[in-house]
């Protein structure tokens, strides 16, 4: 620790991303990347953007991409906010919407761990609301009358790392119960089988939906995310973004992201391939003695009925396969396994067979 740091830095507990190991013939099923490549049209658009124009700053309003996203969801461009990955959007959300005079942010106890990192980073007071025993979110916990309204509510839908999804009725009930609180739904995985709350934006000006191009668009390396909300909420986020970095997306990313959003055929084909592989993998894991939670995502959250999760993860690692094991309360006996191609899933299951019988 350096004496030159600002006072708060020593106390930070940074988010720990999934391992990026350098192992020969590595099968990486630990960070929910998409096994299929990005749209070839996105690659082409990015190649075309690599030219003399790179001496110019990108459009700080990123209108082309915002309009393309707005068209897809039948919204206005001023209802779309962009970020360098959805993590950056979430950071701005915590800063712009959740510091409300000491009121508490509500969030589930088991969810994307970056939310608590941002709570600490921005000093957002919060209340963790336990998920039910089956890891479902109990809507009544979020709709009861309370003495002090929350500063905001955030949850991932489908949730990570559990994979479970809520329906739109549940999300509408939560947004309706707290009109003076921003309700943020992180839909990083929604395209793998859940319904997007974007359909509720007209009805609820306090609702904000966050998406990423890292998962269903297979562009984790490009770092592009977007949020959809009322123009009022977006204006607040823009004020924060323009006090931080006016150009979070470079020209290459803007070109690639727009082409990806516009390539509906590639999107449909690849997301369905992942969904099909997920269903097969869930069956195969069950046959190997795992209890598998229902998933609407590109990963499965599974617990072996007899063997320790940490030991299984280590055994797989020795064979060049990475899966995610969280040493966190309630979930330390679960593994989060990204769905790969059918061939990768077969390699995973064959290796698991050997690891489990070792
Ligand atoms: C629930 C959830 N939200 C957001 C993100 C961040 O995605 P990105 O910053 O790549 O857009 C992730 C990444 O794994 C995630 O699982």
């Amino acid at each position: 620790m350096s004496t030159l740091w600002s006072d708060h830095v020593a106390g930070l507990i940074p988010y720990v991303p999934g391992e990026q190991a350098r192992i020969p013939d590595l099968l990486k099923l630990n960070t929910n990347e998409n096994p299929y490549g990005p749209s070839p049209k996105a690659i082409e658009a990015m190649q075309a953007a690599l030219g003399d124009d790179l001496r110019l700053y990108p459009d700080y309003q990123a209108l082309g991409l915002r309009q393309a996203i707005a068209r897809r969801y039948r919204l206005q461009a001023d209802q779309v906010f962009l970020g360098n990955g959805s993590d950056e959007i979430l950071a701005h959300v915590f800063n712009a919407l959740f510091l409300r005079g000491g009121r508490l942010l509500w969030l589930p106890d088991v969810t994307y761990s970056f939310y608590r990192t941002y709570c600490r980073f921005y000093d957002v007071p919060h209340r963790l609301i336990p998920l039910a025993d089956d890891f479902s979110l109990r809507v009544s916990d979020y709709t009861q009358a309370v003495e002090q309204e929350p500063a905001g509510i955030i949850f991932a839908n489908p949730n990570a790392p559990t994979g479970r999804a809520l329906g739109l009725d549940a999300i509408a009930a939560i947004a309706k119960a707290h009109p003076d609180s921003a309700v943020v739904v992180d839909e990083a995985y929604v395209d793998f089988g859940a319904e997007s709350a974007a359909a509720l934006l007209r009805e609820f000006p306090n609702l904000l939906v966050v998406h990423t191009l890292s998962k269903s668009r297979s562009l984790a390396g490009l770092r592009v995310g977007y949020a959809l909300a009322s123009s009022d909420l977006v204006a607040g986020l823009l004020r924060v973004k323009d006090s931080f970095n006016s150009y979070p997306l470079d020209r290459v990313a803007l070109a690639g992201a727009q082409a990806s959003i516009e390539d509906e055929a590639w999107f449909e084909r690849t997301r369905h391939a992942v969904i099909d592989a997920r269903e097969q993998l869930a069956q195969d894991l069950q046959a190997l003695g795992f209890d598998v939670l229902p998933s609407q995502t590109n990963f499965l959250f599974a617990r072996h009925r007899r063997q320790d999760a940490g030991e299984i993860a280590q055994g797989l690692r020795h064979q060049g396969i990475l899966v995610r094991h969280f040493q966190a309360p309630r979930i330390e006996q679960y593994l989060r396994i990204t769905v790969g191609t059918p061939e990768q899933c077969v390699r995973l299951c064959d290796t698991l067979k050997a690891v489990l019988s070792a």
Side-chain angles (χ1 to χ4, degrees), residues 31 85-87 90 112 115 156 160 186 188-189 212 214-215 223-225:
T31 49
S86 59
D87 281 340
L90 293 166
Y112 185 39
Y115 304 153
D186 178 351
Y189 301 100
T212 176
S214 298
K215 313 294 179 183
R223 312 307 301 130
V224 184

